[in-house]
Short mmCIF file of all heavy atoms in Angstrom, two decimals:
data_model
loop_
_atom_site.label_atom_id
_atom_site.label_comp_id
_atom_site.label_asym_id
_atom_site.label_seq_id
_atom_site.Cartn_x
_atom_site.Cartn_y
_atom_site.Cartn_z
N ASP A 55 -47.41 -29.39 -46.75
CA ASP A 55 -48.31 -28.82 -47.59
C ASP A 55 -49.45 -28.36 -46.81
O ASP A 55 -50.05 -29.24 -46.30
CB ASP A 55 -48.64 -29.62 -48.80
CG ASP A 55 -49.58 -29.09 -49.82
OD1 ASP A 55 -50.18 -27.91 -49.58
OD2 ASP A 55 -49.75 -29.69 -50.94
N PRO A 56 -49.84 -27.04 -46.86
CA PRO A 56 -51.11 -26.54 -45.95
C PRO A 56 -52.34 -26.76 -46.72
O PRO A 56 -53.41 -26.63 -46.05
CB PRO A 56 -50.62 -25.18 -45.83
CG PRO A 56 -49.93 -24.61 -47.05
CD PRO A 56 -49.09 -25.88 -47.41
N ASP A 57 -52.35 -27.15 -47.95
CA ASP A 57 -53.70 -27.38 -48.67
C ASP A 57 -54.45 -28.49 -48.09
O ASP A 57 -53.88 -29.48 -47.68
CB ASP A 57 -53.45 -27.65 -50.20
CG ASP A 57 -52.85 -26.41 -50.85
OD1 ASP A 57 -53.06 -25.20 -50.37
OD2 ASP A 57 -52.20 -26.48 -51.92
N PRO A 58 -55.75 -28.32 -48.03
CA PRO A 58 -56.52 -29.51 -47.49
C PRO A 58 -56.38 -30.73 -48.31
O PRO A 58 -56.17 -30.73 -49.59
CB PRO A 58 -57.97 -28.91 -47.75
CG PRO A 58 -57.94 -27.51 -47.87
CD PRO A 58 -56.57 -27.14 -48.56
N VAL A 59 -56.51 -31.83 -47.62
CA VAL A 59 -56.58 -33.17 -48.22
C VAL A 59 -57.92 -33.44 -48.86
O VAL A 59 -58.83 -33.45 -48.19
CB VAL A 59 -56.05 -34.24 -47.26
CG1 VAL A 59 -56.18 -35.65 -47.90
CG2 VAL A 59 -54.67 -34.01 -46.64
N THR A 60 -57.92 -33.63 -50.22
CA THR A 60 -59.18 -33.80 -50.91
C THR A 60 -59.29 -35.25 -51.44
O THR A 60 -60.40 -35.60 -52.01
CB THR A 60 -59.16 -32.78 -52.02
OG1 THR A 60 -58.26 -32.92 -52.88
CG2 THR A 60 -59.37 -31.45 -51.43
N ASN A 61 -58.29 -36.04 -51.37
CA ASN A 61 -58.35 -37.32 -52.05
C ASN A 61 -58.09 -38.46 -51.10
O ASN A 61 -57.63 -39.57 -51.42
CB ASN A 61 -57.21 -37.44 -53.02
CG ASN A 61 -55.77 -37.40 -52.49
OD1 ASN A 61 -55.65 -36.93 -51.42
ND2 ASN A 61 -54.83 -37.79 -53.35
N ALA A 62 -58.45 -38.24 -49.86
CA ALA A 62 -58.34 -39.38 -48.71
C ALA A 62 -59.37 -40.46 -49.05
O ALA A 62 -60.48 -40.16 -49.43
CB ALA A 62 -58.51 -38.87 -47.44
N PRO A 63 -58.92 -41.74 -48.92
CA PRO A 63 -59.93 -42.73 -48.88
C PRO A 63 -60.85 -42.74 -47.61
O PRO A 63 -60.61 -41.93 -46.78
CB PRO A 63 -59.08 -44.08 -48.79
CG PRO A 63 -57.78 -43.66 -48.12
CD PRO A 63 -57.56 -42.19 -48.49
N PRO A 64 -61.91 -43.55 -47.63
CA PRO A 64 -62.82 -43.46 -46.50
C PRO A 64 -62.01 -43.82 -45.23
O PRO A 64 -61.26 -44.76 -45.21
CB PRO A 64 -63.91 -44.60 -46.76
CG PRO A 64 -63.93 -44.59 -48.34
CD PRO A 64 -62.44 -44.30 -48.70
N LEU A 65 -62.29 -43.04 -44.23
CA LEU A 65 -61.49 -43.22 -42.95
C LEU A 65 -62.20 -44.29 -42.11
O LEU A 65 -62.72 -44.01 -41.03
CB LEU A 65 -61.40 -41.84 -42.18
CG LEU A 65 -60.81 -40.73 -42.92
CD1 LEU A 65 -60.77 -39.41 -42.12
CD2 LEU A 65 -59.40 -41.09 -43.49
N VAL A 77 -46.08 -36.00 -41.36
CA VAL A 77 -47.10 -35.30 -41.99
C VAL A 77 -46.61 -34.61 -43.17
O VAL A 77 -45.66 -33.94 -43.28
CB VAL A 77 -47.80 -34.23 -40.88
CG1 VAL A 77 -48.78 -33.42 -41.69
CG2 VAL A 77 -48.48 -34.86 -39.82
N GLU A 78 -47.38 -34.89 -44.36
CA GLU A 78 -46.96 -34.27 -45.62
C GLU A 78 -48.05 -33.25 -46.13
O GLU A 78 -47.62 -32.46 -46.84
CB GLU A 78 -47.01 -35.44 -46.70
CG GLU A 78 -45.96 -36.51 -46.45
CD GLU A 78 -44.56 -36.04 -46.81
OE1 GLU A 78 -44.38 -35.63 -48.01
OE2 GLU A 78 -43.68 -36.20 -46.14
N GLN A 79 -49.24 -33.23 -45.49
CA GLN A 79 -50.24 -32.43 -46.00
C GLN A 79 -51.36 -32.32 -45.15
O GLN A 79 -51.70 -33.27 -44.45
CB GLN A 79 -50.75 -32.97 -47.48
CG GLN A 79 -51.85 -31.93 -48.15
CD GLN A 79 -52.39 -32.59 -49.48
OE1 GLN A 79 -52.03 -33.69 -49.84
NE2 GLN A 79 -53.25 -31.89 -50.02
N GLY A 80 -52.00 -31.14 -45.15
CA GLY A 80 -53.26 -30.93 -44.38
C GLY A 80 -53.37 -29.77 -43.47
O GLY A 80 -54.46 -29.27 -43.25
N ASN A 81 -52.25 -29.22 -43.02
CA ASN A 81 -52.34 -28.02 -42.14
C ASN A 81 -50.95 -27.39 -41.96
O ASN A 81 -50.71 -26.67 -41.02
CB ASN A 81 -52.82 -28.39 -40.76
CG ASN A 81 -53.46 -27.19 -40.17
OD1 ASN A 81 -53.48 -26.03 -40.66
ND2 ASN A 81 -53.89 -27.40 -38.86
N TYR A 83 -48.14 -28.69 -41.07
CA TYR A 83 -47.52 -29.18 -39.84
C TYR A 83 -46.05 -29.40 -40.09
O TYR A 83 -45.63 -29.70 -41.16
CB TYR A 83 -48.22 -30.43 -39.46
CG TYR A 83 -49.46 -30.21 -38.68
CD1 TYR A 83 -50.33 -29.26 -38.83
CD2 TYR A 83 -49.76 -31.17 -37.70
CE1 TYR A 83 -51.45 -29.15 -38.06
CE2 TYR A 83 -50.88 -31.20 -36.92
CZ TYR A 83 -51.76 -30.17 -37.18
OH TYR A 83 -52.92 -29.98 -36.44
N ASP A 140 -60.03 -41.09 -36.52
CA ASP A 140 -60.51 -41.83 -37.77
C ASP A 140 -59.24 -41.99 -38.57
O ASP A 140 -58.48 -40.96 -38.71
CB ASP A 140 -61.62 -41.22 -38.41
CG ASP A 140 -62.97 -41.10 -37.56
OD1 ASP A 140 -63.30 -42.09 -36.89
OD2 ASP A 140 -63.46 -39.96 -37.60
N PHE A 141 -59.12 -42.99 -39.36
CA PHE A 141 -57.97 -43.18 -40.06
C PHE A 141 -58.12 -44.17 -41.35
O PHE A 141 -59.05 -44.88 -41.24
CB PHE A 141 -56.70 -43.59 -39.31
CG PHE A 141 -56.65 -45.18 -39.08
CD1 PHE A 141 -55.83 -45.95 -39.75
CD2 PHE A 141 -57.41 -45.66 -37.92
CE1 PHE A 141 -55.77 -47.32 -39.48
CE2 PHE A 141 -57.30 -47.05 -37.59
CZ PHE A 141 -56.53 -47.90 -38.45
N ALA A 142 -57.27 -44.15 -42.22
CA ALA A 142 -57.24 -45.02 -43.35
C ALA A 142 -55.76 -45.12 -43.78
O ALA A 142 -54.88 -44.25 -43.63
CB ALA A 142 -58.03 -44.57 -44.52
N LEU A 148 -50.78 -42.64 -44.63
CA LEU A 148 -51.67 -42.79 -43.53
C LEU A 148 -52.55 -41.42 -43.48
O LEU A 148 -51.99 -40.36 -43.64
CB LEU A 148 -50.95 -42.98 -42.22
CG LEU A 148 -51.75 -42.74 -40.90
CD1 LEU A 148 -52.91 -43.80 -40.79
CD2 LEU A 148 -50.90 -42.67 -39.78
N PHE A 149 -53.81 -41.63 -43.38
CA PHE A 149 -54.76 -40.49 -43.34
C PHE A 149 -55.44 -40.49 -42.03
O PHE A 149 -55.96 -41.49 -41.64
CB PHE A 149 -55.80 -40.48 -44.47
CG PHE A 149 -55.17 -40.49 -45.87
CD1 PHE A 149 -54.80 -41.62 -46.49
CD2 PHE A 149 -55.06 -39.26 -46.52
CE1 PHE A 149 -54.27 -41.70 -47.66
CE2 PHE A 149 -54.54 -39.21 -47.82
CZ PHE A 149 -54.12 -40.29 -48.46
N THR A 150 -55.38 -39.32 -41.23
CA THR A 150 -56.00 -39.29 -40.00
C THR A 150 -56.86 -38.09 -39.91
O THR A 150 -56.57 -37.05 -40.49
CB THR A 150 -54.94 -39.26 -38.83
OG1 THR A 150 -54.13 -38.03 -38.93
CG2 THR A 150 -53.99 -40.52 -38.89
N GLN A 151 -57.95 -38.16 -38.99
CA GLN A 151 -58.80 -37.12 -38.59
C GLN A 151 -59.15 -37.24 -37.09
O GLN A 151 -59.82 -38.08 -36.77
CB GLN A 151 -59.95 -36.96 -39.42
CG GLN A 151 -60.85 -35.61 -39.27
CD GLN A 151 -62.00 -35.53 -40.17
OE1 GLN A 151 -62.54 -36.53 -40.61
NE2 GLN A 151 -62.25 -34.33 -40.63
N GLU A 152 -58.61 -36.19 -36.25
CA GLU A 152 -58.96 -36.36 -34.94
C GLU A 152 -60.48 -36.18 -34.51
O GLU A 152 -61.09 -35.24 -35.08
CB GLU A 152 -58.08 -35.43 -34.07
CG GLU A 152 -58.19 -35.48 -32.55
CD GLU A 152 -57.29 -34.70 -31.86
OE1 GLU A 152 -56.46 -34.10 -32.42
OE2 GLU A 152 -57.35 -34.77 -30.52
N ARG A 157 -63.70 -28.92 -36.28
CA ARG A 157 -63.23 -28.66 -37.63
C ARG A 157 -61.91 -29.23 -37.94
O ARG A 157 -61.08 -28.58 -38.34
CB ARG A 157 -63.23 -27.18 -38.06
CG ARG A 157 -64.61 -26.48 -37.98
CD ARG A 157 -64.57 -25.13 -38.40
NE ARG A 157 -64.38 -25.07 -39.82
CZ ARG A 157 -64.15 -23.98 -40.65
NH1 ARG A 157 -64.41 -22.72 -39.85
NH2 ARG A 157 -63.98 -23.85 -41.80
N ALA A 158 -61.78 -30.50 -37.49
CA ALA A 158 -60.50 -31.24 -37.53
C ALA A 158 -60.08 -31.49 -38.92
O ALA A 158 -60.88 -31.95 -39.83
CB ALA A 158 -60.54 -32.58 -36.78
N ASP A 159 -58.86 -31.04 -39.38
CA ASP A 159 -58.28 -31.40 -40.74
C ASP A 159 -58.03 -32.72 -40.88
O ASP A 159 -57.62 -33.44 -39.90
CB ASP A 159 -57.11 -30.49 -40.83
CG ASP A 159 -57.27 -28.94 -40.77
OD1 ASP A 159 -58.16 -28.43 -41.54
OD2 ASP A 159 -56.55 -28.25 -40.09
N ILE A 160 -58.28 -33.24 -42.11
CA ILE A 160 -57.58 -34.58 -42.39
C ILE A 160 -56.11 -34.38 -42.76
O ILE A 160 -55.81 -33.48 -43.49
CB ILE A 160 -58.29 -35.14 -43.68
CG1 ILE A 160 -59.73 -35.39 -43.36
CG2 ILE A 160 -57.69 -36.38 -44.14
CD1 ILE A 160 -60.55 -35.93 -44.57
N LEU A 161 -55.44 -35.22 -42.04
CA LEU A 161 -53.92 -35.02 -42.34
C LEU A 161 -53.49 -36.19 -43.12
O LEU A 161 -53.89 -37.30 -42.84
CB LEU A 161 -53.11 -35.04 -41.03
CG LEU A 161 -53.44 -33.91 -40.00
CD1 LEU A 161 -52.54 -34.08 -38.68
CD2 LEU A 161 -53.22 -32.63 -40.75
N ARG A 162 -52.50 -36.09 -44.14
CA ARG A 162 -51.97 -37.14 -44.85
C ARG A 162 -50.47 -37.23 -44.38
O ARG A 162 -49.62 -36.40 -44.45
CB ARG A 162 -51.88 -36.84 -46.36
CG ARG A 162 -51.28 -37.74 -47.17
CD ARG A 162 -51.40 -37.64 -48.73
NE ARG A 162 -50.84 -36.30 -49.16
CZ ARG A 162 -49.48 -36.17 -49.54
NH1 ARG A 162 -48.68 -37.36 -49.48
NH2 ARG A 162 -49.00 -34.97 -49.89
N TRP A 163 -50.15 -38.41 -43.85
CA TRP A 163 -48.85 -38.74 -43.44
C TRP A 163 -48.26 -39.73 -44.47
O TRP A 163 -48.94 -40.49 -45.21
CB TRP A 163 -48.91 -39.49 -42.14
CG TRP A 163 -49.77 -38.85 -40.95
CD1 TRP A 163 -51.10 -38.65 -41.03
CD2 TRP A 163 -49.20 -38.48 -39.70
NE1 TRP A 163 -51.42 -38.08 -39.78
CE2 TRP A 163 -50.25 -37.93 -39.02
CE3 TRP A 163 -47.83 -38.36 -39.20
CZ2 TRP A 163 -50.15 -37.39 -37.69
CZ3 TRP A 163 -47.74 -37.85 -37.88
CH2 TRP A 163 -48.74 -37.32 -37.23
#
Side-chain angles (χ1 to χ4, degrees):
D55 181 348
D57 292 337
V59 175
T60 58
N61 65 343
L65 302 179
V77 173
E78 297 281 310
Q79 182 183 359
N81 203 5
Y83 279 32
D140 296 315
F141 80 100
L148 167 66
F149 299 84
T150 64
Q151 185 175 40
E152 187 174 354
R157 299 183 67 180
D159 296 305
I160 295 177
L161 300 180
R162 177 173 64 87
W163 308 66

